[in-house]
């Protein structure tokens, strides 16, 4: 996964989490509250999972510069 894509996903999860937390501060039916709490937990879990995933970076060791014989 490209780093930019990972950041975009994190931003999306964070925005969704903030939106769900805001909705929980409003007047909701028990069913609506249950649904939003479940979605909030799913988004938080997904964000934690993404945050703990690793990004593999590969570096090549530079080859030494050889000097022609003098």
């Amino acid at each position: 996964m490209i780093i930019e894509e990972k950041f975009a996903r994190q931003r999306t999860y964070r925005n969704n989490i903030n939106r769900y937390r805001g909705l929980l501060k409003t007047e909701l039916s028990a069913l609506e509250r249950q649904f939003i709490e479940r979605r909030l937990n799913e988004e938080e879990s997904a964000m934690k999972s993404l945050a703990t995933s690793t990004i593999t970076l590969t570096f090549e060791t530079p080859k030494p510069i050889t000097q022609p014989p003098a």
Side-chain angles (χ1 to χ4, degrees), residues 52-68:
T52 58
S53 68
T54 59
I55 297 175
T56 305
L57 298 176
T58 306
F59 297 98
E60 289 185 22
T61 306
K63 296 180 180 169
I65 299 173
T66 57
Q67 297 293 327

Side-chain angles (χ1 to χ4, degrees), residues 1 6 9-14 16-17 20 38-53:
M1 180 181 315
K6 186 173 181 178
R9 284 181 152 188
Q10 285 179 326
R11 187 173 43 255
T12 300
Y13 290 138
R14 186 181 61 243
N16 289 343
I17 289 167
Y20 291 139
R38 187 179 77 236
R39 289 295 300 135
L40 176 60
N41 287 331
E42 290 170 357
E43 293 287 329
E44 287 173 335
S45 293
M47 189 166 115
K48 287 177 187 174
S49 177
L50 182 64
T52 58
S53 68

Side-chain angles (χ1 to χ4, degrees), residues 12 14-24 36 43:
T12 300
R14 186 181 61 243
N15 291 342
N16 289 343
I17 289 167
N18 289 335
R19 184 174 69 247
Y20 291 139
R21 286 180 179 161
L23 286 170
L24 288 174
I36 292 171
E43 293 287 329

